[in-house]
Amino acid sequence: MNSPRTEEGWQALAVLDVCSSQVRAVQGAVLGMDFNAWMSASQALDADPAAMTHLFPAVEAGLTQALNKPSSDNPHG
């Protein structure tokens, strides 16, 4: 259901896998991803830089929402 449907989507997923821990956070809350890390990973994986720039905001929003979602395993949420 949520799997990528385009080559660029698969590239973005690969980039996310490499740099998902590169986030900006304060007091246990994730504010967003490190764009420079995202672009470095994109280049290292030979992903389309224009597509990765366009996809970054959506990926960042989804990751930020997921990491900030309250759960019983998260003492901050």
Side-chain angles (χ1 to χ4, degrees), residues 10-41:
W10 284 107
Q11 289 175 357
L13 185 60
V15 173
L16 176 61
D17 189 44
V18 169
C19 66
S20 62
S21 64
Q22 301 300 312
V23 296
R24 299 178 320 239
V26 62
Q27 298 179 356
V30 175
L31 302 175
M33 293 179 61
D34 182 334
F35 183 73
N36 290 327
W38 176 266
M39 290 310 294
S40 293

